[in-house]
Amino acid sequence: MSELVSALVLKPDISKPRWDQSTFTGRAKHFFAVTSPLNLFHSDGTLDHFKTVVDDYKKGNFASSLTVSQLWKAKHVVDSAFHPVTEEKMFLIGRMSAQVPMNMAITGGMLTFYKSPSAVIFWQWLNQSFNAVVNYTNRSGESGSVSQLLGSYCAATGGALTAALGLNSLVKKAPPLIGRLVPFVAVCVANAINIPMMRSGELSKGIAIVNENGEVVGHSQKVARSAIAQVVISRIAMATPTFAFIPIVVNALERRPYFKANPRIFLPLQTALCGIVLSISTPVGCALFPQSTPVSLEQLEPELAHKIKNLSLPPKQLFCNKGL
C-alpha cells in the first residue's frame, strides 16, 4: 500500500518528473507512464480533477488521504493531457498517449496498401494530417497565425506525397522487400519536412528560453533549430522499428503457403505488430532527448547571451521546452 503524502517529512517534488531526466533510463520511465494509451480513457471531468489535485499540491494544499501513488498518477495523467508550457488541455488525438492506437492503424494501412497510387495518396495524406495535428499540439508553446499553419500543413503534406509517389515509381522493378520499405523512406522524408514547417513560427521568432523558475528571459532561433532537429530524430526513431522491421517479417511470411492463400490476413497482422512495436518505440523515441532541455549561454545568439548575463539577477540555468 502506498504511503500517505501527509506522513512524509520530505514530500514528493512534482514540479519535475518522478525520474531523473538527465538519464535515458529516467526519461524512458517517464514517457512509458505519460505515453500510455490508458491515459486516453480518462474523462474530461477526471482530467480536471487530476489537474486540481496537482495544482493544489503545488500550493501546499492536499487531502490527508492522498497517497504517493495517487499523487504521481495524477501528475502523469496531467502531463499526458495538458501542454507543459500553456497548460491548456491538448486535443485528444494530438496527445502522445494517442500515438500508439493512431499510428497502429495508420501504419498498418501504409504497410499493406503501398502499391496502388490512390492508396499511397490516401494513407500518406492521412498520416501527414495526423502528424500535423501531433506536431502542432506538442509544439514548444508558440503558435503562428491560422494562414501560416495552413500553409505549413499544405507544404508538408505535399512534400510527403511527392516523396512517397516518387519513390514508388523508382522501385517498381526492384525486389518486393525494397518496395515494402518505401513507406519508411517516405515517412523519414516527410518528418523532416512536416515538423519544421508546422513549427516555422519558432524558426522565425525563436523558441522561448526560460530560467530555473520557468520565467521567459528571451527567444532563440539557434536553439529552436536544435530543438526541432532533435524532435525530427526522435520521430524517425519511433517509426524505424515498425517501418523497417515489420516489412522484413511480412516479406518472409508471404512466401509461406498459408499466407499466400490468405492475403487478407496481412492487414490485421501488420496492424497488430505495429501496436506491439509502437508501445515500446514511442516512449523510447521520446526519451532520446530531454523535453526540458538545458541551454548554455554559448548556444544562444551573442546579443541574447549578453542581455541575459546583464540581468540584475542572472539565471543559474536556462532551459527550453523542445516539444515532442
Side-chain angles (χ1 to χ4, degrees):
M1 186 175 177
S2 181
E3 292 181 281
L4 291 173
V5 174
S6 58
L8 298 176
V9 176
L10 186 62
K11 293 179 170 50
D13 178 7
I14 64 168
S15 64
K16 52 189 177 182
R18 186 173 191 174
W19 299 279
D20 182 5
Q21 296 299 284
S22 67
T23 68
F24 172 77
T25 301
R27 294 194 296 272
K29 288 180 178 179
H30 170 71
F31 283 111
F32 267 103
V34 172
T35 65
S36 170
L38 295 177
N39 293 330
L40 297 173
F41 291 97
H42 296 295
S43 66
D44 281 346
T46 302
L47 292 178
D48 292 336
H49 167 69
F50 283 144
K51 185 74 163 58
T52 300
V53 169
V54 169
D55 290 344
D56 285 350
Y57 180 82
K58 289 178 179 178
K59 298 172 185 175
N61 304 318
F62 53 89
S64 59
S65 59
L66 182 68
T67 66
V68 174
S69 294
Q70 289 170 339
L71 175 62
W72 280 115
K73 179 180 179 180
K75 178 65 164 61
H76 292 148
V77 172
V78 167
D79 284 349
S80 76
F82 294 86
H83 194 279
V85 175
T86 65
E87 296 191 357
E88 295 174 350
K89 190 180 295 179
M90 294 186 287
F91 186 49
L92 183 68
I93 66 169
R95 301 172 193 169
M96 293 309 291
S97 50
Q99 283 283 291
V100 172
M102 291 297 296
N103 272 327
M104 175 180 168
I106 295 172
T107 305
M110 283 197 293
L111 290 176
T112 303
F113 307 108
Y114 66 94
K115 292 181 179 180
S116 163
S118 59
V120 169
I121 290 171
F122 172 75
W123 288 105
Q124 285 293 337
W125 165 79
L126 184 61
N127 185 48
Q128 291 314 311
S129 296
F130 170 64
N131 283 342
V133 172
V134 173
N135 295 337
Y136 177 72
T137 303
N138 293 280
R139 66 202 186 282
S140 70
E142 295 82 1
S143 61
S145 64
V146 174
S147 59
Q148 182 184 36
L149 293 173
L150 181 60
S152 298
Y153 162 72
C154 291
T157 305
L161 291 173
T162 300
L165 293 171
L167 287 168
N168 263 352
S169 66
L170 290 174
V171 299
K172 281 183 178 179
K173 297 181 180 179
L177 179 58
I178 300 299
R180 288 187 180 277
L181 291 174
V182 165
F184 171 57
V185 180
V187 164
C188 292
V189 172
N191 270 317
I193 297 171
N194 200 325
I195 295 170
M197 288 298 296
M198 289 302 294
R199 294 177 60 177
S200 58
E202 296 166 49
L203 293 172
S204 61
K205 298 178 183 177
I207 196 170
I209 306 298
V210 302
N211 61 20
E212 57 269 20
N213 298 318
E215 300 165 336
V216 177
V217 294
H219 289 78
S220 171
Q221 293 171 309
K222 284 179 63 178
V223 176
R225 290 194 290 271
S226 173
I228 291 172
Q230 289 178 359
V231 173
V232 172
I233 293 170
S234 293
R235 293 291 184 83
I236 291 174
M238 288 182 208
T240 297
T242 50
F243 282 102
F245 168 70
I246 293 176
I248 294 173
V249 173
V250 172
N251 194 62
L253 290 177
E254 69 177 358
R255 300 171 189 168
R256 305 286 180 91
Y258 175 78
F259 289 96
K260 282 185 177 180
N262 299 277
R264 291 184 178 180
I265 199 172
F266 284 115
L267 178 58
L269 173 64
Q270 291 187 124
T271 302
L273 287 174
C274 285
I276 294 169
V277 174
L278 284 166
S279 64
I280 298 172
S281 67
T282 297
V284 168
C286 288
L288 289 180
F289 305 100
Q291 184 173 2
S292 181
T293 306
V295 177
S296 66
L297 288 174
E298 290 73 25
Q299 292 174 272
L300 303 174
E301 292 83 350
E303 59 275 16
L304 178 57
H306 178 75
K307 172 191 168 185
I308 292 173
K309 280 194 290 186
N310 286 281
L311 291 173
S312 56
L313 289 174
K316 296 177 181 178
Q317 179 64 61
L318 300 171
F319 300 91
C320 79
N321 171 42
K322 73 170 178 62
L324 289 175

